Amino acid sequence: MDKIILKDSAYCIKKGTILGIKQLTESEKLFEIALEGSQRLGFEPGQFVMVSVFGAGEIPISLSSSPTNNVSFEICVRAAGKVTNALHKLKAGDVIGIRGPFGKGFPVRMLGGKDLLIIACGLGIAPLRSFIRYVFDNRKDFGKINILFGCRNPGNMLFLDEINDWKKRKDVYFESTVDCGTPDWTGKVGLITTLIPGVNIEPERTFVALVGPPAVYKPVIKELLSRNVPERQIMISLERHMKCGVGKCGHCQIQNLYCCQDGPVFNYEEIKHLKEAF
Ligand SMILES: Cc1cc2nc3c(=O)[nH]c(=O)nc-3n(C[C@H](O)[C@H](O)[C@H](O)COP(=O)(O)OP(=O)(O)OC[C@H]3O[C@@H](n4cnc5c(N)ncnc54)[C@H](O)[C@@H]3O)c2cc1C
Ligand code: FES
C-alpha cells in the first residue's frame, strides 16, 4: 500500500523554537517563535494557530504580531489551565508544536482606504495587536485610525510600552480606560462603552474591529448601532472551545457555523441571529 504523506496537511505539526519570552503582566507572557528551517508561517491578523506543548496538550492561540514580520511570530498567552501553564514554564530555546494558521481573520485588503475603530478589551488586545501593527506598517493604505482599549485594572494592561508609543502618534486617536482604578492611575475609569461617544467617526466609512470577553459585545454593539455604524461593518472575533481547528470535530460549532473555519472573525450582520454567539 502507498504511504500516506501528510506533509503540508492541516494536521501536520511544525516544530517551533521559542526565541524569547517577555512577562507582560502577572498572568500573561509574550512568546516569540520561529518555525524550523526558517519556514514562513504566513497569516492574516485575526487568525490563530494550534499550539502544542508536548506532553500537556494542544490549544488555539491568536497570532499577536504583524504578518509583515516574515522571520518569526508572536503569541500572547494567559496562564489559564493545564496547557497554558505548561507553556508558561518553558524557556527560550525550547521547542513547541504549531499547526495552522487557521480561520478567517480581519479582511485587511478589503479595508484599504477605510476608517477603522479598533476596540480591544482585556486579552482581546492580543489578536488586535496583530491588526494594529499591520495597519501601522501600511499606514497610508488606511483612513482615520481610532483605538479604544479597556481592561479590568491598570495591572492587567497588556503591551504598556507599545501603548505609550501609540498614544504619542499624531495619526491615531487612542483612548484607554480601566474598570477599577488604583491610587496611582491617572487615566480614565469606566467601562469601554464610555469611550465610544468621544470618538469622532463617519459611520458609513468606518469599520469596527471588536475583540474582548463575550460580556462586552452586546453593550458595545448597542452603542455602535446608536452611532449608525452599519451591522456588516462591525467585525467581532468569537472564542469557542476548539480541538481540531479545521472544521472536523464540531467543538466550536454554533448552529451551522464553525468558529474555527467560518471565523473566528465574523461580521455582526452574519451572526446577530445566533443567540449562542453572544
Ligand atoms: C480562536 C481562539 C484564540 C485564542 N487566543 C488566545 C490568545 O491569544 N491568548 C490566550 O491566552 N488565550 C487564547 N485563547 C484561549 C485559549 O485557547 C485557552 O485559554 C486555552 O485553550 C486554555 O487551555 P488550558 O489547557 O491552559 O486550560 P484548561 O485547563 O483546558 O481550562 C482552563 C479554563 O479555560 C477555559 N477554556 C479552555 N479553552 C477555552 C477556550 N477556547 N475559550 C475560552 N475558555 C477556554 C476552560 O473552560 C477553563 O475554565 C484563544 C481561544 C480561541 C478559541
Ligand atoms: S475546532 Fe473542530 S470543528 Fe472547529
Side-chain angles (χ1 to χ4, degrees):
M1 203 175 115
D2 287 344
K3 222 177 176 180
I4 298 169
I5 300 173
L6 289 174
K7 203 162 174 256
D8 286 321
S9 143
Y11 302 105
C12 182
I13 293 178
K14 295 172 190 140
K15 281 186 187 166
T17 302
I18 299 175
L19 300 182
I21 303 173
K22 194 171 168 189
Q23 184 90 42
L24 296 177
T25 67
E26 220 171 88
S27 51
E28 280 102 6
K29 287 185 180 181
L30 185 70
F31 296 83
E32 186 188 359
I33 298 155
L35 293 179
E36 190 180 43
S38 309
Q39 291 175 78
R40 274 190 70 223
L41 184 64
F43 63 92
E44 279 177 359
Q47 284 193 297
F48 66 95
V49 280
M50 297 298 296
V51 176
S52 296
V53 180
F54 303 123
E58 190 186 45
I59 51 167
I61 297 289
S62 304
L63 290 147
S64 197
S65 49
S66 170
T68 36
N69 175 2
N70 289 332
V71 183
S72 61
F73 60 92
E74 289 170 320
I75 54 172
C76 167
V77 182
R78 174 176 292 169
K82 188 178 168 212
V83 182
T84 47
N85 275 305
L87 186 58
H88 270 235
K89 289 197 183 104
L90 298 182
K91 304 265 176 305
D94 286 341
V95 173
I96 56 177
I98 300 290
R99 282 195 302 125
F102 295 128
K104 277 195 199 142
F106 296 100
V108 284
R109 272 165 223 91
M110 190 271 278
L111 295 173
K114 305 285 191 264
D115 293 349
L116 300 177
L117 171 55
I118 298 170
I119 307 178
C121 303
L123 194 53
I125 193 73
L128 286 175
R129 175 179 178 256
S130 172
F131 187 37
I132 292 167
R133 292 179 74 142
Y134 175 87
V135 169
F136 287 169
D137 288 345
N138 298 278
R139 184 64 188 89
K140 64 176 183 349
D141 296 344
F142 298 91
K144 283 198 285 180
I145 309 293
N146 306 283
I147 303 173
L148 306 180
F149 183 29
C151 55
R152 221 171 279 162
N153 57 57
N156 287 142
M157 203 162 263
L158 290 159
F159 303 113
L160 262 185
D161 297 353
E162 283 170 55
I163 282 170
N164 285 330
D165 291 340
W166 300 348
K167 276 183 191 164
K168 287 181 204 148
R169 287 182 72 121
K170 297 251 179 327
D171 58 352
V172 173
Y173 173 85
F174 179 91
E175 199 58 81
S176 59
T177 184
V178 294
D179 297 346
C180 307
T182 49
D184 55 341
W185 173 253
T186 54
K188 297 199 170 178
V189 178
L191 300 177
I192 188 81
T193 43
T194 60
L195 299 182
I196 297 173
V199 195
N200 183 12
I201 53 166
E202 290 173 64
E204 65 289 352
R205 49 171 292 127
T206 301
F207 280 71
V208 180
L210 166 65
V211 190
V216 304
Y217 286 172
K218 269 191 183 169
V220 170
I221 290 167
K222 191 173 167 207
E223 200 67 42
L224 293 169
L225 296 178
S226 79
R227 299 285 308 269
N228 298 320
V229 179
E231 290 175 346
R232 68 181 175 286
Q233 290 175 205
I234 302 175
M235 303 171 288
I236 313 161
S237 184
L238 294 184
E239 208 177 292
R240 284 294 179 279
H241 286 263
M242 291 183 185
K243 289 289 173 203
C244 68
V246 290
K248 298 288 176 210
C249 72
H251 273 83
C252 69
Q253 200 170 353
I254 307 174
Q255 292 189 22
N256 60 329
L257 294 177
Y258 290 102
C259 264
C260 65
Q261 278 203 316
D262 301 311
V265 176
F266 295 92
N267 79 57
Y268 178 60
E269 193 178 55
E270 65 181 316
I271 54 165
K272 66 173 181 182
H273 61 288
L274 301 174
K275 264 197 212 144
E276 307 92 318
F278 301 95

